[in-house]
Amino acid sequence: MRSLEVATPRCCAFVDLTARLSEVVAAEGWSDGALLAFCPHTTAGMTINEGADPDVQHDLLRRLSQLAPQDGQDRHGEGNSDAHLKASLMGSSVVIPLEGGRLRLGTWQAVYLAEFDGPRRRTVHLTKLS
């Protein structure tokens, strides 16, 4: 298992990890199988989505804010219940096929850490699955 440290830039953001994941796969010599990327945080998640047009990230964050606004009406004392809901909607992990030592993503896909309670330093654990 390997771990990445990720600095997130603001309260809500998608941080593209695709290049960093590719570097780990190459450095570890992981060839065929799958890569599991797991985020062990309750207010951040992982997702695979559009990597070519940054407007998609903007639109996703806007829509998630509509679904789970930070309005202060929740019971959780830290005031970040919206972040917990958004992270639950994203999920805590992604699995990416590996073939010939490369991530087998679709043409337009990228792998993101989805931050909803930043800025923070986050950890992403990486494991090769056979």
Side-chain angles (χ1 to χ4, degrees), residues 1 3 13 27 46 49 59 81 111 116 125 129:
M1 183 171 74
S3 295
M46 299 293 301
N49 213 302
D59 293 346
S81 289
V111 182
F116 301 114
H125 298 302
L129 305 174

Side-chain angles (χ1 to χ4, degrees), residues 106-124:
T107 302
W108 307 112
Q109 289 182 318
V111 182
Y112 294 99
L113 171 80
E115 173 64 72
F116 301 114
D117 195 27
R120 292 181 184 248
R121 294 200 62 76
R122 300 294 193 172
T123 301
V124 176

Side-chain angles (χ1 to χ4, degrees), residues 46-126:
M46 299 293 301
T47 191
I48 297 173
N49 213 302
E50 169 80 47
D53 183 356
D55 285 341
V56 173
Q57 298 166 42
H58 174 270
D59 293 346
L60 286 171
L61 289 172
R62 183 179 59 81
R63 293 293 188 117
L64 286 167
S65 290
Q66 290 172 342
L67 288 171
Q70 187 179 15
D71 60 12
Q73 295 182 27
D74 296 307
R75 293 175 61 174
H76 179 51
E78 293 179 28
N80 61 354
S81 289
D82 65 303
H84 289 284
L85 178 57
K86 292 168 188 169
S88 290
L89 290 170
M90 287 291 106
S92 59
S93 64
V94 294
V95 176
I96 306 129
L98 298 174
E99 184 177 44
R102 300 182 66 173
L103 302 174
R104 294 295 297 177
L105 294 166
T107 302
W108 307 112
Q109 289 182 318
V111 182
Y112 294 99
L113 171 80
E115 173 64 72
F116 301 114
D117 195 27
R120 292 181 184 248
R121 294 200 62 76
R122 300 294 193 172
T123 301
V124 176
H125 298 302
L126 308 174

